[in-house]
């Protein structure tokens, strides 16, 4: 971990939220709220704002690059990216074109985080067979890494038409498009990221963050074996910040419970109770929930333990309201970030 380069970011999936009266907001309003949240994050000097891609009724954002372009027009310094782009059910050329265009309109602030996604709705929506899950991602990631070189591309595979000495436009004006590989806990995915020389983004949404230390070690070993230069490691984890630990837990719990219960029913998980929730939010769990001091201490512990270069807080949770999210962002930028940077010895 390079303390001088440690970054603090925010991620959202554009969760469908409730208004002040407790009524569901329209998707369009939730999207506009995300833009406002990103503008606040930029004004606070945070490093990154990521927007997820989903194709279901509990998330408002299906086209992250469009939302990010709107954010780019209202922000100045914050880097903007996906969290994640579901590459398996998209076309690598179009993904590159969209994010190279975002890089242009944001004056070099675009990133893309490439993953297979934790939901599968995009596969039937765009006509892909889930039986080809692994092959789709492997081939498309291979093509995308070739596109990042910004030269003529010759490529062939089974999941799309071949390319023969083909240029793709627009090019990145300066350098290359920063592209991360998102990994949820598979050693094979870690090795794949190293093989392609991509920075590693660990999605830690359950269990103990420090249990991912072997993945960080595997990644560094694999980079060396593939002859790739050292690359940063980041973590994406859910959390919520309020003035006190109790307030943060009480604000988040009903929304988190409802949201995880729905996903659990879809996937065959049992419901979470309050005791399990608080254990997951404890010192060794994957939820970064509490006062600024509590959350900062936990981020520093994980950053040191895993050798991180970036931590992204997934701050939106189901129907948790816009004003509450704004306050969590404010505390993250004004109190958590300075504490983390001080303890890691990294200034802005």
């Amino acid at each position: 971990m390079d303390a001088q380069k440690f970054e603090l970011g925010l991620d959202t999936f554009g969760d469908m939220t409730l208004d002040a009266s407790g009524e569901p907001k329209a998707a369009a309003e939730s999207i506009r709220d995300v833009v406002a949240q990103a503008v606040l994050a930029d004004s606070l000097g945070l490093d990154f704002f990521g927007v997820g891609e989903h194709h279901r009724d509990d998330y408002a954002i299906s086209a992250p690059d469009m939302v990010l372009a709107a954010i780019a027009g209202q922000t100045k310094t914050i880097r903007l990216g996906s969290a994640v782009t579901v590459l398996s059910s998209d076309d690598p050329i179009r993904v590159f074109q969209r994010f190279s265009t975002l890089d242009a309109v944001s004056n070099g602030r675009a990133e893309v985080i490439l993953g297979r996604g934790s939901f599968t709705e995009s596969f039937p929506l765009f006509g892909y067979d889930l039986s080809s899950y692994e092959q789709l991602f492997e081939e498309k990631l291979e093509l995308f890494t070739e596109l990042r070189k910004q030269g003529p591309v010759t490529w062939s595979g089974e999941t799309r038409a071949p390319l023969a000495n083909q240029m793709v436009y627009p090019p990145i004006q300066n350098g290359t498009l920063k592209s991360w590989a998102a990994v949820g806990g598979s050693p094979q995915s870690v090795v794949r990221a190293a093989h392609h020389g991509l920075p590693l983004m660990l999605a830690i949404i359950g269990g103990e963050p420090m249990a991912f230390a072997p993945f960080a070690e595997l990644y560094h070993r694999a980079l060396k074996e593939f002859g790739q230069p050292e690359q940063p490691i980041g973590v994406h984890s859910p959390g919520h910040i309020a003035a006190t630990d109790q307030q943060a837990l009480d604000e988040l719990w009903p929304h988190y419970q409802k949201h995880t219960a729905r996903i659990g029913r879809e996937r065959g998980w049992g419901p979470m109770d309050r005791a399990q929730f608080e254990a997951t939010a404890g010192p060794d769990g994957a939820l970064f929930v509490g006062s600024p001091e509590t959350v900062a201490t936990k981020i520093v512990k994980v950053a040191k333990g895993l050798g991180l270069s970036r931590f992204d807080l997934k701050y939106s949770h189901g129907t948790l309201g816009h004003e509450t999210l704004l306050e969590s962002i404010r505390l993250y930028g004004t109190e958590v970030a300075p504490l983390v940077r001080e303890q890691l010895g990294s200034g802005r």
Side-chain angles (χ1 to χ4, degrees):
M1 178 184 67
D2 187 339
Q4 297 304 314
K5 296 180 181 179
F6 190 79
E7 297 178 340
L8 288 156
L10 290 164
D11 290 339
T12 179
F13 298 162
D15 304 53
M16 296 289 288
T17 58
L18 302 177
D19 63 20
S21 66
E23 293 298 314
K25 286 188 172 185
E29 190 172 1
S30 293
I31 291 171
R32 291 191 290 270
D33 285 346
V34 167
V35 175
Q37 292 155 16
V39 170
L40 174 61
D42 179 61
S43 73
L44 298 172
L46 291 166
D47 297 292
F48 175 79
F49 193 85
V51 177
E53 173 197 344
H54 293 86
H55 304 271
R56 43 189 286 140
D57 63 1
D58 46 350
Y59 300 116
I61 297 172
S62 59
D65 47 293
M66 293 293 293
V67 179
L68 293 166
I71 293 169
Q74 299 185 45
T75 56
K76 296 179 180 178
T77 61
I78 196 165
R79 294 188 64 80
L80 304 170
S82 57
V84 301
T85 292
V86 185
L87 187 63
S88 307
S89 57
D90 211 328
D91 184 88
I93 294 175
R94 293 298 287 147
V95 171
F96 181 85
Q97 289 175 326
R98 295 197 299 265
F99 281 88
S100 63
T101 301
L102 174 65
D103 197 69
V105 299
S106 67
N107 196 22
R109 291 187 281 138
E111 298 184 10
V112 60
I113 302 178
L114 304 166
R116 293 181 292 183
S118 59
F119 295 91
T120 59
E121 289 82 1
S122 63
F123 287 81
L125 183 64
F126 298 118
Y128 291 100
D129 190 339
L130 272 172
S131 66
S132 302
Y133 187 80
E134 288 289 342
Q135 182 185 20
L136 283 165
F137 187 69
E138 180 58 58
E139 284 198 3
K140 292 185 177 188
L141 186 62
E142 178 186 277
L143 173 54
F144 193 88
T145 57
E146 290 300 311
L147 296 171
R148 291 181 68 238
K149 299 174 184 178
Q150 302 195 97
V153 175
T154 297
W155 179 91
S156 64
E158 298 179 5
T159 56
R160 60 149 290 132
L163 300 176
N165 205 38
Q166 178 71 56
M167 289 294 297
V168 174
Y169 304 102
I172 300 295
Q173 184 175 13
N174 296 300
T176 59
L177 176 64
K178 186 168 186 179
S179 307
W180 300 72
V183 173
S186 161
Q188 293 83 2
S189 296
V190 172
V191 172
R192 181 191 291 122
H195 172 71
H196 292 295
L198 295 174
L200 183 70
M201 182 61 68
L202 294 169
I204 304 178
I205 59 176
E208 297 184 7
M210 293 313 302
F212 283 74
F215 292 116
E217 295 167 4
L218 172 63
Y219 178 64
H220 289 301
R221 290 200 309 271
L223 284 171
K224 290 180 181 178
E225 289 178 10
F226 289 123
Q228 299 283 10
E230 278 297 314
Q231 298 290 347
I233 299 176
V235 158
H236 153 107
S237 283
H240 178 64
I241 307 159
T244 66
D245 290 350
Q246 194 63 51
Q247 181 183 345
L249 291 166
D250 290 344
E251 285 179 349
L252 179 58
W253 166 241
H255 305 277
Y256 189 81
Q257 179 191 36
K258 182 178 179 181
H259 188 62
T260 55
R262 171 177 174 169
I263 296 174
R265 286 191 299 271
E266 296 171 356
R267 303 184 182 185
W269 303 340
M272 174 181 283
D273 61 28
R274 179 69 185 244
Q276 292 171 316
F277 167 72
E278 294 199 8
T280 306
D284 298 319
L287 276 177
F288 289 71
V289 179
S291 69
E293 294 79 8
T294 296
V295 173
T297 298
K298 196 167 183 178
I299 291 173
V300 169
K301 176 183 176 181
V302 174
K304 290 181 176 179
L306 299 182
L308 303 182
S309 294
R310 189 162 88 196
F311 178 86
D312 291 341
L313 182 76
K314 198 274 185 179
Y315 69 91
S316 59
H317 304 275
T319 53
L320 193 62
H322 176 55
E323 295 301 326
T324 305
L325 296 178
L326 288 175
E327 177 62 9
S328 183
I329 292 170
R330 186 189 70 79
L331 290 171
Y332 186 64
T334 60
E335 298 191 30
V336 174
L339 286 170
V340 170
R341 289 169 181 148
E342 178 183 359
Q343 291 180 52
L344 292 178
S346 58
R348 271 285 282 163

